[in-house]
Amino acid sequence: MRVLGIETSCDETAASVVALDGVSAPEILSNVVLSQIEEHAAFGGVVPEIAARAHVEALDGIVEAALEDSKVSLDEVDAIAATAGPGLVGGLIVGLMTAKAIAAAANKPLIAINHLEGHALTARLTDGLDFPYLLLLVSGGHTQIVAVRSVGDYQRWATTIDDALGEAFDKTAKMLGLPYPGGPNVEKAAASGDPRRFAFPRPMKGSAQPDFSFSGLKTAVRQAATAIAPLSDQDVADICASFQAAVADALGDRVARALARFRREFPRQVKPALVVAGGVAANRTIKATLEALCSQAGFAFVAPPQKLCTDNAAMIAWAGIERLRAGIADENAADFVPRSRWPLDSVSAPLVGSGRRGAKA
Ligand code: KG4
Ligand code: ZN
């Protein structure tokens, strides 16, 4: 089985070919990702119109490059899988329409993929993980804990009631005059800072509600920065370190709850696993916190390679393969309309404000 995947939901234009022969492990035959970071940097965040235009300009070449790298011709591909939501609608239209055109011209089936499902299933591509497992998705647009039970069967156990975690990093960076994207720059500055200098709040810590919240922390950072302005480099480093410590602590509290729930709901799972995905998972302080939590709770900690944790098309091609294999590819995908909002789990009620302000809102 070979599937061509296309991803255009935010600020990466990506295409990939993934193969599965049913005997050996799946193989990523190509994985081409063009980041638009430079185009958006001057604006301090992703500008939807610029993103859509950049996808239009780049996508043909990226698909061609992915096919060429994979040494597979379009004829030899079994299906085309494209991200159909959630995300910025301009980009989704570009990717899905291109995929529809390719599928129609080459007479191949089209599979409309939920971007979050791509993230959710990546650990099966990289680590051959068995169901069920727990997923922590922390990116610029999403902050969720999801119980991944099987292909197409996801239960959202927690989401953010305001900002996404990556968004909180990006806004903190902006307030402190650090360049976009904020996350890596906050982490870099934090390395020479004192995490105890500012006692920032740990939002939701100990709360009976399972969700995340980061906007109060952002406000606390703004107040602290305003109170001691103008900021020296050391002040910026101390704020970053204190912010990162608060985030790790709050995140750890929420994840610990979810690990305990997983134990209760899946008692037969001898060695359960927590999988992390999304750009924020690159943060070493956060990673170390999660690793320690998992080892205490007897969970395996699975962090796919960073290139496959952040947005890419291999995860979309792989989700296509999983759906084909499970016999749940949508037969009417050619009529699928892109969805800027598309929860993975249709059962959990949407939370007011959740994930609706980020780049992927
Ligand atoms: O998954 P991703 O590449 O794109 C999506 O949002 O889907 O995640 C990007 C987010 C940005 O908000 C960025 O600031 C954050 O991940 N990020 C980090 C780090 N690297 C990227 N946040 C904290 N620490 C990092 N090292
Ligand atoms: Zn993503």
Side-chain angles (χ1 to χ4, degrees), residues 7 9 115-116 119 137 139 142 278 309-312 315 360:
E7 157 63 39
S9 68
H115 178 89
L116 302 173
H119 281 303
L137 173 60
S139 69
H142 300 284
C309 261
T310 55
D311 289 352
N312 66 86
M315 69 178 189
K360 298 211 164 164

Side-chain angles (χ1 to χ4, degrees), residues 4 45 56 60 62 71 91 100 105 185 195 197 214 282 316 318 356:
L4 167 67
V56 171
D60 284 1
I62 298 292
K71 312 263 184 292
K100 283 182 184 180
N185 291 307
R197 177 161 164 208
F214 296 107
I316 303 304
W318 173 248
R356 292 192 183 168

Side-chain angles (χ1 to χ4, degrees), residues 9-12 115 119 137-142 165-170 180-188 244 277-284 286 306 309-311 359-360:
S9 68
C10 191
D11 61 343
E12 273 93 15
H115 178 89
H119 281 303
L137 173 60
V138 274
S139 69
H142 300 284
L165 184 51
E167 201 181 348
F169 269 96
D170 294 339
Y180 175 84
N185 291 307
V186 169
E187 179 170 17
K188 211 190 305 164
Q244 202 171 256
V280 186
N283 187 287
R284 275 168 295 236
I286 290 176
Q306 198 53 26
C309 261
T310 55
D311 289 352
K360 298 211 164 164

Side-chain angles (χ1 to χ4, degrees), residues 7 9 82-88 92 96 112-118 142 316 336-343:
E7 157 63 39
S9 68
T83 302
L88 298 172
L92 292 172
L96 191 57
I113 299 292
N114 182 313
H115 178 89
L116 302 173
E117 179 169 60
H142 300 284
I316 303 304
F336 200 99
V337 177
R339 295 180 60 178
S340 58
R341 290 177 196 168
W342 184 7

